[in-house]
Amino acid sequence: MTILPTFDTARLKVRPRTHADLSACLEMDRDPEVTKFVKGPWSNPKRHEAFVRERIDTNFGEGLGYWSVFLRERPDQFLGWILLIPYDGVGPEVEIGWRFNRKAWGKGFATEAATPVLKHALETLALRRVVADIDADNVGSIQVAIKIGMLDEGMKELDGVTYQSFVARQ
């Protein structure tokens, strides 16, 4: 298993995701507003749990994986997660992504948590580029991508869904 760094920000603790976070991840994904723009097994409890467990257990490569995000002042309060993994789990490009509980929306937590993870990708891992394909209707995530310094590379269609593509480069 790859060892991932932990990041402390002004308000957040961003630490590697573990099985201890499983129930919080599952609960978050059960909110249809949270997963509205992401295809997945969210409505099938067994497949959903198997999917999240597999993502927790997968070694995505040195320095890559999932981080869970918590308030520094309340380290038991799960807010969401950040990922830095091979694109769609297989690569070859590396993608960054985020998902947060609805109660955490609009407070800058995704931007604050994604910033050190993107810096880790570009500076520590020396990745030449990191991508994020975001559903064109997901205004909140598009705003996060822009705020963390990703550049808009236009629209693309994949499996019948239109995505706005973003990239960060060294």
Side-chain angles (χ1 to χ4, degrees):
M1 188 160 145
T2 302
I3 296 180
L4 298 176
T6 295
F7 305 104
D8 288 313
T9 70
R11 300 178 295 164
L12 306 174
K13 167 77 77 181
V14 184
R15 63 149 176 82
R17 184 162 78 169
T18 69
H19 283 283
D21 306 325
L22 178 66
S23 62
C25 290
L26 294 173
E27 181 180 337
M28 175 178 68
D29 290 349
R30 286 185 196 113
D31 180 343
E33 283 299 306
V34 170
T35 55
K36 178 172 158 177
F37 299 110
V38 184
K39 289 183 182 180
W42 322 130
S43 63
N44 181 318
K46 287 185 180 187
R47 286 186 47 227
H48 180 200
E49 182 173 340
F51 174 81
V52 175
R53 282 184 183 281
E54 183 266 331
R55 288 291 176 113
I56 291 170
D57 292 335
T58 297
N59 180 343
F60 290 104
E62 191 59 41
L64 302 178
Y66 281 78
W67 287 262
S68 290
V69 181
F70 299 86
L71 285 174
R72 284 181 75 179
E73 294 174 359
R74 296 214 32 228
D76 60 329
Q77 186 175 348
F78 176 84
L79 300 175
W81 53 253
I82 305 288
L83 66 76
L84 184 66
I85 64 172
Y87 188 86
D88 204 24
V90 294
E93 291 203 281
V94 172
E95 69 175 311
I96 189 169
W98 41 85
R99 185 173 305 154
F100 282 76
N101 289 313
R102 200 179 333 177
K103 65 185 174 198
W105 292 0
K107 298 177 179 156
F109 294 141
T111 300
E112 188 173 331
T115 297
V117 173
L118 183 59
K119 182 178 178 182
H120 164 73
L122 298 174
E123 295 179 10
T124 305
L125 301 179
L127 297 176
R128 291 184 174 265
R129 58 186 261 135
V130 175
V131 299
D133 287 342
I134 302 169
D135 186 295
D137 293 327
N138 190 343
V139 176
S141 281
I142 289 169
Q143 290 175 342
V144 172
I146 292 167
K147 287 177 184 176
I148 65 173
M150 299 187 86
L151 303 174
D152 186 347
E153 292 220 314
M155 305 297 248
K156 76 178 188 184
E157 189 172 317
L158 189 63
D159 296 328
V161 179
T162 302
Y163 293 97
Q164 197 160 343
S165 292
F166 290 87
V167 65
R169 292 184 176 89
Q170 263 189 347

